[in-house]
Amino acid sequence: MAMLETAADTAHLADDEVQASAPHAVTGYCSFKLGAFELSRDEYFARITWPAKGQTRSHLIPVDAFLRAMMRDVAWGFFYGWVNFDQVIGTRNYYGKVDLYAGTFNGTLKAAGVNYTENFETPLIMATFKAILRDWTNATFDPFAAPEETGSAFGRKNGNNIEAIERSRIATKRMPGLKDDSPLRDDLPVNRQFIDVPQDEPEVHAAEGFEGELHAFNLFKYLSRSDVTWNPSVTSVCKASLFCPTTEEFILPVFHGNDRIEWFLQMSDEIIWDVGDKDDGNPRARITMRAGDICAMPADIRHQGYSTKRSMLMVWENATPNLPQRYESGELKPYPIEF
Amino acid sequence: MSSAAIETVFGSLDNYTKGSVEIISGQASHYAFSNIFEVADKSLPYEKVVVGFNLGYVVESIRAEGQSPWYTAAHDEFAIVMDGEVRVDFLKLDAPLKAGEGTHLAGEIPAGTPMGYVLLKRGHQCLLPVGTAYRFEASRPGVILQQTIKGPLSVEKWADICFK
């Protein structure tokens, strides 16, 4: 979760308003209604239907990809801006309300008029998404993990994995390891793909009377023990400037279209980013980042990353609240620097 | 299955491989793409080169070599050592900076009480707390990443460091 602690708190969940069916006689899964949307799953696919032009429209997503995307959207509290599950389905965060859309940010579907958007109160859509995750995630599958680390999402209903989808989010006020702040990760094991990362902590020599006022920790060690992939978590707070590093493996499960500029700094290994137009999805660039590379993601694009080896990425966010309006109004340009 | 060991690839002043921007439409300059090791390799010691800018907030790539001046700020700042080894000394200032943004020079010999020091290696992150002065020292060239706000010492030279 890459927001200030206060920005993302969901006051309550509307659990009693979730519309779930009885379990399907064959697959064992419930289906869910959210406004005019219906969401269901079978052995292989998540299926989303919506009304447009007097017909019911539908879209299928492989259920493993769908659950990975939904896991991020839930864990991030709908994040900043647009979270595209794929080129058709996604959410847009209005920080208190959330749009669920189908085809609205796909150039072809929108031009054909077969797209649909509905706005929901955040507690209702969050409660429904959480109920879907709980029901559709089997005991064999961890939607926060890379494919090599977990089992299959496919098949009929087979238990659940509540522990994996209920991981508590890390909210850091100043810096991990400080008194009254988020903890370090000494209790978590080093990930198999970071087994060579040094685990020594910095030496802190505080003068008498200043014990506890000097603070340092091994960030690479901390990241080497991250038990999830693609999950920006705050490690330093300079007013609204948030360093949110994360460990990346396989594919970012969403195509993120931000409502503000963010920056990426590759801290180890390599990620390739597919960059497309935020509104219609047309490809714009393909960016390869290696250790030490830093670049901006402008406010008018969507991006999705690919990381073969688990890698360390610094995501740098500006959490100032009124930025979306300032970018949309044209007051701020979508890119950060002119030179 | 191959038994080759896992190798996590970090960068350094002596060994980095810059990535690339392949454009399909638009301009490469809009991504402001640079490499912090290349920037520090071509910088003066403790030159605070802005490599990330977000509405006043900055990320700076700093070449650590020898002893830096004393610095201070009216807000928290953070340093991550990305290459080499850096010692950071701290003073609790008698008269801390109360206003303004970004890193400021704290003077030749700032009035304050020594708080101690921190020894940082690659990947180590350090709080540079509000109300203190701090000074970096490196016996061999290294790279510091600093999280702060644009200040009087911040150097912007985007055209020299970024893909166009």
Side-chain angles (χ1 to χ4, degrees):
Chain A
M1 163 54 63
M3 293 185 190
L4 285 171
E5 193 183 19
T6 50
D9 287 339
T10 304
H12 69 287
L13 287 181
D15 286 330
D16 51 343
E17 294 170 45
V18 173
Q19 294 184 58
S21 73
H24 188 274
V26 175
T27 66
Y29 298 107
C30 301
S31 60
F32 296 83
K33 282 190 173 156
L34 186 57
F37 285 101
E38 185 163 348
L39 299 97
S40 58
R41 78 156 281 184
D42 60 25
E43 287 86 340
Y44 280 123
F45 303 109
R47 179 188 186 91
I48 299 102
T49 65
W50 66 92
K53 284 189 158 176
Q55 282 186 310
T56 297
R57 310 284 167 166
S58 66
H59 183 66
L60 301 187
I61 303 178
V63 76
D64 58 336
F66 178 87
L67 290 172
R68 287 190 185 101
M70 183 159 265
M71 182 73 254
R72 300 319 183 282
D73 216 10
V74 164
W76 300 341
F78 301 103
F79 209 40
Y80 296 103
W82 291 255
V83 174
N84 298 286
F85 287 29
D86 65 359
Q87 300 292 355
V88 177
I89 302 295
T91 61
R92 181 181 180 185
N93 197 356
Y94 290 96
Y95 313 98
K97 294 191 175 190
V98 175
D99 276 348
L100 177 60
Y101 54 79
T104 307
F105 298 94
N106 176 305
T108 304
L109 297 186
K110 181 137 200 294
V114 296
N115 64 295
Y116 178 72
T117 304
E118 191 167 335
N119 187 259
F120 300 99
E121 296 289 338
T122 299
L124 173 63
I125 184 169
M126 179 59 86
T128 304
F129 276 22
K130 282 191 161 180
I132 292 171
L133 262 183
R134 277 196 296 272
D135 189 60
W136 294 5
T137 303
N138 289 321
T140 47
F141 187 63
D142 177 355
F144 245 138
E148 203 185 48
E149 296 180 296
T150 186
S152 170
F154 301 127
R156 295 181 183 175
K157 181 146 179 74
N158 170 27
N160 54 46
N161 194 351
I162 303 298
E163 200 175 308
I165 62 176
E166 291 286 342
R167 286 185 178 98
S168 64
R169 73 187 177 88
I170 296 160
T172 297
K173 288 176 268 189
R174 197 178 185 197
M175 178 167 160
L178 283 169
K179 192 171 175 290
D180 301 324
D181 214 326
S182 63
L184 298 177
R185 292 179 175 155
D186 295 355
D187 295 341
L188 292 174
V190 178
N191 185 272
R192 78 211 191 287
Q193 290 213 339
F194 286 134
I195 207 74
D196 61 330
V197 173
Q199 300 289 309
D200 60 318
E201 289 289 351
E203 287 182 37
V204 177
H205 299 270
E208 205 181 320
F210 292 103
E211 295 85 357
E213 289 194 42
L214 302 185
H215 185 60
F217 77 117
N218 184 340
L219 176 65
F220 290 177
K221 170 189 172 184
Y222 178 87
L223 292 175
S224 74
R225 294 165 183 255
S226 163
D227 63 341
V228 293
T229 62
W230 307 100
N231 188 40
S233 299
V234 179
T235 53
S236 52
V237 179
C238 174
K239 298 191 179 182
S241 161
L242 307 182
F243 271 12
C244 319
T246 144
T247 63
E248 319 298 51
E249 187 176 337
F250 192 50
I251 304 174
L252 172 59
V254 303
F255 230 119
H256 180 217
N258 207 336
D259 56 16
R260 62 195 72 208
I261 292 168
E262 67 186 330
W263 288 73
F264 292 154
L265 196 163
Q266 192 70 35
M267 304 195 93
S268 83
D269 306 293
E270 176 181 304
I271 293 178
I272 294 171
W273 293 98
D274 270 343
V275 178
D277 184 281
K278 189 164 77 180
D279 292 323
D280 62 23
N282 284 334
R284 280 204 193 172
R286 194 169 166 79
I287 297 179
T288 302
M289 298 187 72
R290 304 203 179 97
D293 288 341
I294 179 168
C295 88
M297 289 287 136
D300 59 351
I301 59 97
R302 65 177 80 171
H303 55 263
Q304 183 171 45
Y306 295 72
S307 184
T308 298
K309 182 189 170 301
R310 202 176 192 96
S311 66
M312 299 183 184
L313 174 71
M314 176 68 76
V315 177
W316 179 39
E317 297 281 359
N318 183 333
T320 304
N322 64 345
L323 292 184
Q325 297 77 12
R326 293 173 68 192
Y327 283 109
E328 286 217 335
S329 71
E331 177 203 337
L332 298 174
K333 291 198 168 142
Y335 45 90
I337 306 291
E338 269 183 294
F339 59 90
Chain B
M1 203 198 298
S2 163
S3 61
I6 290 289
E7 188 193 355
T8 299
V9 178
F10 294 107
S12 66
L13 282 171
D14 297 334
N15 189 7
Y16 62 88
T17 310
K18 201 171 175 178
S20 62
V21 178
E22 301 164 53
I23 291 293
I24 298 151
S25 68
Q27 289 181 42
S29 64
H30 289 176
Y31 300 93
F33 187 115
S34 67
N35 180 287
I36 63 164
F37 300 111
E38 183 180 61
V39 169
D41 190 35
K42 295 173 179 171
S43 295
L44 299 169
Y46 300 106
E47 190 181 4
K48 290 162 70 68
V49 183
V50 181
V51 292
F53 180 84
N54 199 332
L55 300 171
Y57 295 103
V58 293
V59 173
E60 296 169 340
S61 175
I62 300 169
R63 179 187 182 88
E65 187 175 8
Q67 194 177 68
S68 79
W70 285 101
Y71 299 112
T72 190
H75 48 77
D76 280 345
E77 301 174 285
F78 299 87
I80 303 170
V81 170
M82 297 295 289
D83 184 24
E85 297 181 8
V86 177
R87 171 181 164 131
V88 192
D89 281 272
F90 294 88
L91 289 175
K92 188 80 155 184
L93 289 175
D94 295 344
L97 199 60
K98 292 288 187 201
E101 294 183 327
T103 312
H104 293 251
L105 291 171
E108 282 287 309
I109 307 168
T113 313
M115 299 174 73
Y117 63 96
V118 170
L119 299 177
L120 305 173
K121 293 181 183 170
R122 181 164 74 187
H124 293 180
Q125 174 180 321
C126 181
L127 171 65
L128 308 170
V130 62
T132 68
Y134 59 89
R135 184 177 68 185
F136 300 122
E137 194 168 339
S139 56
R140 63 179 173 90
V143 179
I144 297 169
L145 197 68
Q146 190 158 348
Q147 177 188 14
T148 182
I149 304 176
K150 187 179 166 184
L153 306 175
S154 303
V155 177
E156 290 189 85
K157 47 180 177 183
W158 300 100
D160 297 336
I161 65 172
C162 293
F163 288 137
K164 285 192 272 292

